[in-house]
Amino acid sequence: MKTNANSKKLPLAFAIAAAMAAWHLPAVGQEADEDAVPSPTTPTEEAEIEEVVVLGRFISSSQQLVNERMSDAFATDLLGADTISRLGDSTVAAALRRVPGLTLVQDKFVYIRGLGERYSQTTLNGAFIPSPDLTRNVIPLNVFPTSVVESLRVQKSYSPGLSANFGGGAVDIRTKGIPDAFTLRFEAGIGDNSENPGSVLTYNGGGDDDFGTDDGFRALPQSIRDGIAEFQGNPSVNQILTFLQRQDPSAGLFDAQTVNRQFALALNRDVSVRETSADPDYKLRGSIGNAFQFGSDWEAGFALGASYETDWRFRRTRTATFALPEEQNGIREETTRSVNISGTANFGLKFLADHEIETTTLFLRNTDDETEIFDFFNENRQRSGNRGFRDYRLEFEERNMTTNQIRGTHYLGTDTRERLPFVGTLFGWLPTETMVEWFYSDSTAETDIPNRVIVRSDTETENGVVQDESVRLGSSAADYRFTELEDQVENYGWSAMLPLEFGNNILELSGGYDHAQKARTYAQTEISLGYLDVSDLSVLEGSLSGVFSDGNITARLPDNPLTAIDESRNYVNNIVFDRQGANTNSYIAATMTDSIWGKFDWTIADTWRIAAGARWEDYRQASVPWNPWGFSEDDPQVRIDAEDEDFDPSEFAFNEDEIYPAAALTYMGSFWADTFQLRLGYSETAVRPDLREITFSSYIDPITDTLTQGQPGLRPSEVENIDLRAEWYFANSDTLSITVFQKDITDPIEFVEIPASDTTIARRIQNLESASIQGMEFEFLKELAFLGGYWDTLFVQGNFTYQWDKDLEAGPNGSDLFCAQTDADPAPPSCELSGASELVANFMFGYDSRDSRHTASLILNYFDERLFSFGRFGPDAIEQPFTSLDFTYFWYPTDRLTLKAKAQNVLNETVSIEREGVVVFEEDPGTTYSLALQWGF
């Protein structure tokens, strides 16, 4: 794989030496102050290695995770539930930005080691799950509340047990399981955001909005669905007239207009934007669980949990063009009411100490109800001309995910052989630690946008402030979009492990089989409503509901000779209803993967460990444009004709059959610490195109509102991974790790701009030539007891990621990118990977009181500037550095009661995107405050 950055490599020895010189840790075995009261941050003789981010009240839960990290042959980072709680993050996406090398983009996608969201994979308890994202295969992680999480596992070094669709890393969300004893917890909280004004924007919604679902108030009425089908997908006046005249030759234009207007009357036109007071954030959570013993052999348990959260957020963003920022700019004011509901049900059964079966059912609902007013000026109407545009947008998006999983773990242990003699007879020759695991997972994600309405108006302004407005004349002044997505994933598999011991060697042989299949349907119907002409311009003024009122739609002129001659003059206002779209926005897609993998893990004298293996994957993918309203051979629902001589299956389908190797070498000793590990990992993986990117179709991305083109023949990106990690675990709970990594990518998949109209942004998915990432991660935890006195209640923890190489070679497919044109030295010119920051830092200063009644944390997250989007007809858009400072405080007045106080983005930082110093986007996210009370045992 190509790279031109070899000269930038930082030797690992130099990195480790520099870090050690700056560390100044106390000597291993340093004695604690004899007068100190034993506390969570004062190590005793029984003190053990602690997880890298917490001390005090969290030691017991952290120990298991740190043991897992130490025992893993491949580089892994973990976050536990108590750690996440202390950090104050409410979603998985927000929590993962605390992990070294991870950054959060758009508040929902995680970039691992500078690689975009397509380069990461997400699983739930090790199984694949569907995505509620409208156009992407990747899962937006903000839909997962941290209340359902037991731990988060981030593996940055590939191993054969994982899917080979692995670029930056893999995130496994592990849900809470069965408790060891009876537990009962309740939590209630309130909060607010500093940017929320006294009144916010809203509109009249449905009766079930409080539950995050629409009651049908916004939905496309069945009468319109039936009418579109009756007129074969085209409810325009001319099409209706043609059909009416087939049945009755005397039917005229007035009859067709009347039918067309009946469709308009059936639409929900109660779309006026109004102001309302914003309620505080509310949060309610509850859980219950227990375990039961049945004799000496059986144990069963359950865990049930539920949560409800709702909040209002006001956003005010400022946008501008690079060429004329003073003349072409806009202000967007948006109010979002969010409702998040989750429910979990876990059941488990254990037999002896060798067999365990557990089920998990998870339901998530994540709903955003958005109301927006966007005032802007563009190349057609500039600010100095005192005429502009205003767009109203109402959008209700409901995302639901339901997952049902069952998994089992079985050992051929001594107890099993005694209770079940046939096991000993059949498998007595196998070691007692022989293990078999299996799982089955069935998941469905649904996204329903029962209505997205955009109404376009013209404005009269003074100094950029709207003085007057009226709805625009035109057939699509009001645009209605109705969207339904269903994503189904079935995943099952098994694995087995055979341990062998000889002398001072331990050899584990493992392997398994996985099957995963995904089916997605995406249907979008777009309706337009607008006036071609009105009797009086005052019809277009006033509230939106008034403009599109029944009276304005049905008002008729009195009978006169003129109307008798021209039937089109029978109605006062010429309003038209029609279905819009190029019939390529909807699609059907599917993937299927069969995998077989094997691995050996050989430990020699507790000093050296060699793990290596490979994974064979047979991957199949198909995606076709779908027109749900196709009714003829000229306009079919699916345009595929395998008998056509021009038929090219590569335009719709993709198949890959490859073997992906991985290896890791670990040295284990006591260099400079009680436990020292040095891991070297190498692997080859792939990153495959998204569901609809391999087709020829063009579609409007509902997230970015840009015209997006697929690319037949798009190739998977080939990724070569290498990393070297050194880890020190000290007896006094201090930890230190340093990682140097490199990734070389052939055929990286990126979006590039393509020519379009003056007011349309268009882009195409494209294979560029190559990319290279090189960097270092530095992670530490240091308690401050060695300073004496009250310092024994304090600790510091942090991690830093520095990437000195994040270059992307554009190649022939990207030769006209702006960055490729302006880079003159070194040759060949290179761009940077989008979303990759040179420096990312996390730092936490923590306090645990000696009586274990109080904990407090000051938490900082920082990322350096990063590429937001490539420029093709102008400079690249660069997101500016952002520093988030959060504060959390927990008070435990009793063993069963906890008071939690949190403040996020205390510095009130601004999100800003620039093109060569010109600010093209700016937003103030504000400071969020919350207070919660938890009771439980």
Side-chain angles (χ1 to χ4, degrees):
M1 299 186 180
K2 298 180 180 179
T3 177
N4 65 346
N6 291 330
S7 61
K8 299 182 181 180
K9 290 184 178 178
L10 182 67
L12 178 69
F14 174 77
I16 295 177
M20 290 173 60
W23 183 234
H24 299 303
L25 283 169
V28 174
Q30 173 186 0
E31 295 183 0
D33 186 349
E34 294 181 357
D35 297 327
V37 177
S39 72
T41 56
T42 303
T44 65
E45 292 181 359
E46 290 79 20
E48 294 183 336
I49 298 170
E50 172 57 61
E51 188 189 1
V52 295
V53 288
V54 290
L55 291 174
R57 301 177 63 94
F58 308 105
I59 278 184
S60 59
S61 62
S62 302
Q63 184 60 53
Q64 182 179 358
L65 294 177
V66 97
N67 288 341
E68 179 181 349
R69 173 173 171 169
M70 291 174 59
S71 62
D72 203 310
F74 298 86
T76 303
D77 291 309
L78 298 117
L79 283 177
D82 290 321
T83 301
I84 296 170
S85 176
R86 180 160 195 160
L87 293 169
D89 296 316
S90 59
T91 69
V92 166
L96 285 172
R97 66 194 169 115
R98 316 293 186 178
V99 176
L102 273 65
T103 54
L104 184 61
V105 177
Q106 298 179 18
D107 292 328
K108 57 183 177 180
F109 297 119
V110 169
Y111 283 32
I112 301 178
R113 288 178 171 173
L115 293 173
E117 71 270 12
R118 71 166 62 247
Y119 291 91
S120 63
Q121 61 170 274
T122 302
T123 54
L124 181 71
N125 298 319
F128 289 112
I129 49 177
S131 170
D133 190 90
L134 293 176
T135 60
R136 296 165 180 84
N137 197 26
V138 68
I139 300 167
L141 294 173
N142 62 333
V143 303
F144 290 94
T146 53
S147 59
V148 305
V149 174
E150 180 65 31
S151 64
L152 299 173
R153 174 188 171 91
V154 182
Q155 187 167 326
K156 304 172 187 174
S157 181
Y158 174 71
S159 60
L162 297 175
S163 167
N165 193 45
F166 181 102
V171 176
D172 187 29
I173 303 169
R174 301 191 289 196
T175 57
K176 293 180 178 178
I178 308 302
D180 295 327
F182 179 71
T183 62
L184 179 65
R185 285 196 180 121
F186 296 101
E187 182 176 338
I190 59 172
D192 203 358
N193 182 274
S194 62
E195 289 297 306
N196 284 356
S199 57
V200 294
L201 304 174
T202 190
Y203 64 99
N204 293 333
D208 292 335
D209 288 4
D210 288 343
F211 303 102
T213 190
D214 183 59
D215 62 359
F217 178 76
R218 303 173 177 85
L220 184 65
Q222 188 61 44
S223 61
I224 295 180
R225 292 181 180 272
D226 294 340
I228 295 176
E230 179 183 356
F231 298 109
Q232 294 192 359
N234 183 0
S236 66
V237 172
N238 290 336
Q239 178 82 342
I240 294 172
L241 180 60
T242 299
F243 273 66
L244 292 180
Q245 289 180 340
R246 289 176 184 173
Q247 302 171 4
D248 181 3
S250 66
L253 182 61
F254 173 74
D255 300 310
Q257 288 179 328
T258 301
V259 174
N260 184 267
R261 276 169 166 73
Q262 292 302 315
F263 293 146
L265 292 172
L267 271 179
N268 171 31
R269 290 159 289 112
D270 187 5
V271 292
S272 290
V273 174
R274 57 182 174 84
E275 292 188 348
T276 187
S277 58
D279 293 331
D281 304 347
Y282 293 111
K283 174 176 67 176
L284 294 172
R285 293 177 181 173
S287 64
I288 186 172
N290 202 357
F292 308 93
Q293 197 80 28
F294 301 97
S296 59
D297 295 344
W298 293 89
E299 181 181 345
F302 75 93
L304 304 176
S307 69
Y308 175 89
E309 300 179 23
T310 182
D311 61 65
W312 292 79
R313 287 294 178 269
F314 177 81
R315 299 175 60 212
R316 191 174 192 268
T317 59
R318 301 165 289 281
T319 59
T321 65
F322 168 72
L324 293 170
E326 299 299 326
E327 290 286 348
Q328 299 174 17
N329 51 52
I331 294 178
R332 189 186 308 267
E333 294 187 345
E334 175 190 296
T335 299
T336 302
R337 189 202 177 184
S338 298
V339 175
N340 298 290
I341 299 174
S342 70
T344 60
N346 293 354
F347 298 93
L349 182 66
K350 294 181 180 179
F351 176 60
L352 306 173
D354 297 335
H355 305 276
E356 181 176 0
I357 296 177
E358 188 171 347
T359 68
T360 297
T361 295
L362 172 66
F363 171 78
L364 299 176
R365 171 172 292 165
N366 177 261
T367 299
D368 291 329
D369 190 6
E370 300 175 349
T371 310
E372 175 186 285
I373 298 177
F374 181 30
D375 293 320
F376 63 99
F377 306 91
N378 59 23
E379 65 275 11
N380 297 318
R381 293 184 184 176
Q382 298 190 9
R383 183 185 176 112
S384 60
N386 291 331
R387 298 182 66 225
F389 303 95
R390 168 173 284 185
D391 284 355
Y392 294 89
R393 181 177 66 87
L394 317 177
E395 184 166 356
F396 186 94
E397 182 172 352
E398 176 188 346
R399 297 171 289 272
N400 294 318
M401 188 177 77
T402 303
T403 298
N404 292 291
Q405 298 180 335
I406 184 170
R407 53 195 175 273
T409 302
H410 309 276
Y411 288 91
L412 301 180
T414 303
D415 291 343
T416 298
R417 300 182 189 203
E418 291 177 354
R419 294 290 195 282
L420 306 174
F422 74 90
V423 174
T425 302
L426 295 175
F427 304 105
W429 55 278
L430 292 173
T432 56
E433 293 300 314
T434 301
M435 179 184 67
V436 176
E437 292 182 308
W438 55 271
F439 73 94
Y440 177 85
S441 176
D442 183 74
S443 304
T444 300
E446 296 175 322
T447 296
D448 185 21
I449 304 179
N451 198 357
R452 191 199 80 160
V453 185
I454 294 180
V455 181
R456 300 173 177 87
S457 297
D458 298 320
T459 59
E460 302 290 335
T461 66
E462 183 176 340
N463 296 323
V465 179
V466 174
Q467 304 297 315
D468 195 12
E469 66 167 309
S470 59
V471 171
R472 192 176 309 166
L473 277 175
S475 61
S476 58
D479 179 87
Y480 288 73
R481 291 185 188 176
F482 305 86
T483 304
E484 295 175 301
L485 175 143
E486 184 177 72
D487 208 22
Q488 294 181 312
V489 172
E490 184 181 29
N491 187 200
Y492 56 83
W494 60 267
S495 63
M497 188 273 293
L498 175 66
L500 302 173
E501 292 189 34
F502 46 96
N504 58 358
N505 295 266
I506 300 175
L507 177 63
E508 293 182 354
L509 303 177
S510 58
Y513 167 80
D514 293 326
H515 173 85
Q517 60 185 42
K518 172 196 282 269
R520 169 177 284 203
T521 57
Y522 175 92
Q524 178 178 297
T525 299
E526 186 174 353
I527 301 295
S528 63
L529 183 66
Y531 292 98
L532 299 180
D533 190 18
V534 293
S535 61
D536 191 298
L537 291 178
S538 62
V539 170
L540 303 174
E541 299 173 353
S543 70
L544 300 182
S545 300
V547 171
F548 296 104
S549 66
D550 291 1
N552 284 340
I553 292 175
T554 60
R556 295 183 57 184
L557 291 170
D559 292 335
N560 57 62
L562 193 60
T563 59
I565 297 173
D566 183 0
E567 284 187 320
S568 67
R569 302 290 298 274
N570 276 287
Y571 286 101
V572 173
N573 303 306
N574 188 5
I575 190 170
V576 290
F577 170 99
D578 205 352
R579 188 179 69 85
Q580 300 294 324
N583 299 332
T584 58
N585 288 324
S586 302
Y587 68 97
I588 302 172
T591 66
M592 183 177 292
T593 308
D594 287 292
S595 309
I596 299 174
W597 61 274
K599 183 187 73 171
F600 74 85
D601 191 344
W602 184 13
T603 302
I604 306 171
D606 288 330
T607 302
W608 292 97
R609 183 179 184 182
I610 304 171
R615 185 183 186 92
W616 170 80
E617 285 195 350
D618 183 13
Y619 176 80
R620 289 140 286 173
Q621 174 178 335
S623 180
V624 294
W626 173 41
N627 176 18
W629 302 109
F631 291 90
S632 66
E633 292 184 0
D634 295 332
D635 189 21
Q637 290 200 1
V638 178
R639 291 181 178 272
I640 292 183
D641 186 0
E643 297 180 358
D644 191 329
E645 60 180 13
D646 295 327
F647 174 73
D648 183 1
S650 67
E651 294 182 353
F652 308 97
F654 168 78
N655 177 254
E656 182 185 58
D657 179 357
E658 297 287 347
I659 295 177
Y660 302 93
L665 174 65
T666 304
Y667 168 77
M668 299 170 287
S670 56
F671 169 64
W672 196 46
D674 290 76
T675 302
F676 169 74
Q677 293 187 342
L678 182 65
R679 290 188 180 93
L680 174 65
Y682 173 84
S683 62
E684 296 177 6
T685 56
V687 176
R688 299 171 180 126
D690 224 329
L691 285 171
R692 66 186 307 185
E693 292 176 346
I694 62 171
T695 71
F696 60 83
S697 64
S698 299
Y699 59 94
I700 300 296
D701 188 315
I703 305 300
T704 63
D705 211 32
T706 58
L707 179 65
T708 305
Q709 289 186 3
Q711 182 69 32
L714 196 67
R715 299 179 300 278
S717 302
E718 298 177 5
V719 186
E720 188 177 16
N721 311 275
I722 185 168
D723 58 81
L724 185 62
R725 170 181 283 192
E727 299 172 332
W728 291 267
Y729 299 92
F730 299 88
N732 60 354
S733 299
D734 294 344
T735 63
L736 172 66
S737 69
I738 300 174
T739 305
V740 175
F741 60 88
Q742 175 174 320
K743 292 181 180 290
D744 292 322
I745 307 172
T746 301
D747 296 328
I749 301 172
E750 296 284 348
F751 283 106
V752 298
E753 288 187 46
I754 57 176
S757 66
D758 290 342
T759 57
T760 300
I761 299 174
R763 61 181 188 167
R764 179 174 60 223
I765 195 71
Q766 193 74 60
N767 282 120
L768 300 184
E769 185 169 309
S770 65
S772 175
I773 294 181
Q774 296 175 351
M776 180 182 73
E777 296 169 352
F778 177 83
E779 185 178 10
F780 67 90
L781 181 141
K782 180 74 182 95
E783 60 179 54
L784 303 179
F786 71 98
L787 295 175
Y790 208 72
W791 289 96
D792 63 4
T793 62
L794 304 173
F795 68 93
V796 292
Q797 179 271 335
N799 59 71
F800 306 90
T801 301
Y802 172 60
Q803 297 180 147
W804 56 84
D805 176 19
K806 42 190 171 67
D807 290 341
L808 183 144
E809 301 293 340
N813 289 337
S815 59
D816 54 352
L817 291 177
F818 185 84
C819 56
Q821 296 171 5
T822 56
D823 277 352
D825 184 36
S830 65
C831 306
E832 289 189 353
L833 285 164
S834 59
S837 295
E838 186 173 61
L839 178 64
V840 179
N842 290 285
F843 181 84
M844 178 166 69
F845 184 76
Y847 164 75
D848 289 341
S849 68
R850 290 175 174 172
D851 60 4
S852 298
R853 295 299 186 190
H854 306 272
T855 68
S857 303
L858 194 63
I859 308 152
L860 181 141
N861 172 259
Y862 169 84
F863 63 80
D864 204 355
E865 67 177 28
R866 59 192 184 190
L867 177 67
F868 180 78
S869 65
F870 289 111
R872 190 160 190 165
F873 308 105
D876 293 339
I878 306 297
E879 186 173 358
Q880 299 305 296
F882 186 88
T883 303
S884 173
L885 183 65
D886 304 337
F887 175 76
T888 65
Y889 168 72
F890 292 3
W891 176 36
Y892 307 89
T894 71
D895 291 339
R896 295 185 178 180
L897 200 63
T898 305
L899 180 68
K900 306 176 182 180
K902 304 174 185 177
Q904 295 178 299
N905 192 26
V906 174
L907 300 178
N908 201 21
E909 285 274 287
T910 297
V911 177
S912 179
I913 299 174
E914 298 182 1
R915 293 182 183 263
E916 285 194 349
V918 175
V919 177
V920 296
F921 177 90
E922 196 170 50
E923 177 189 353
D924 299 317
T927 303
T928 299
Y929 306 94
S930 65
L931 187 67
L933 186 65
Q934 176 181 293
W935 176 89
F937 56 89

